[in-house]
Amino acid sequence: MINNQQGQILVIVFASLGVVLFTVLFIIAGAQIYYQNASYSQDAEIATALSEAGIDKALNSLNKTGGAYSGELETSLGEGSYSVTVTSKDVATKLVESTGYIPNKAKTR
C-alpha cells in the first residue's frame, strides 16, 4: 500500500511551489505598479508647480509691461521647464497658457 503513494508527495511539492511562486510574482507586480504610479504622481505635481510658476511669471510680466508680454518658449526652473503663451481675446482680455515639462520640453517623462 505504501508503493501506491510514492508519487503523491512530488505533486504536493510542485503544487506548493506553484502557489508560492504565483504569490511572489503577484506581490512583485503590485510593487512595480505602485512604484510607477508614485513616480507618475510626483512628476505630475512637479509639472503642475512649474506650470503655475509660468502663470505667475506671465501675470507679473503683463503687469510690468502694461500687457505687452507675449510669453516664453521654454524657461528652465528647478527639475524641469515651462513654456508660456499669451494671446489676446480682445482689447481687455488676455488668455495665458502655461505648460510644465519634466525634465524639459524635448525629453518629457
Side-chain angles (χ1 to χ4, degrees):
M1 191 170 238
I2 294 177
N3 290 338
N4 293 340
Q5 297 180 0
Q6 286 181 349
Q8 289 181 358
I9 192 73
L10 189 60
V11 172
I12 293 171
V13 167
F14 281 145
S16 299
L17 284 174
V19 169
V20 169
L21 180 64
F22 177 76
T23 303
V24 168
L25 290 176
F26 186 73
I27 290 171
I28 290 172
Q32 183 180 9
I33 290 171
Y34 178 78
Y35 174 77
Q36 289 172 345
N37 286 342
S39 178
Y40 176 80
S41 294
Q42 180 181 12
D43 287 349
E45 284 186 34
I46 294 170
T48 300
L50 286 166
S51 180
E52 289 175 356
I55 295 286
D56 290 343
K57 170 77 185 302
L59 291 177
N60 187 26
S61 296
L62 284 168
N63 286 333
K64 281 185 177 178
T65 62
Y69 177 75
S70 63
E72 303 175 34
L73 291 178
E74 184 173 11
T75 303
S76 294
L77 179 67
E79 296 180 37
S81 63
Y82 63 86
S83 295
V84 178
T85 318
V86 179
T87 54
S88 296
K89 287 184 92 175
D90 55 41
V91 177
T93 306
K94 300 271 187 187
L95 178 65
V96 179
E97 182 180 346
S98 178
T99 307
Y101 303 99
I102 301 293
N104 58 37
K105 192 173 186 176
K107 278 180 130 177
T108 57
R109 285 188 238 171

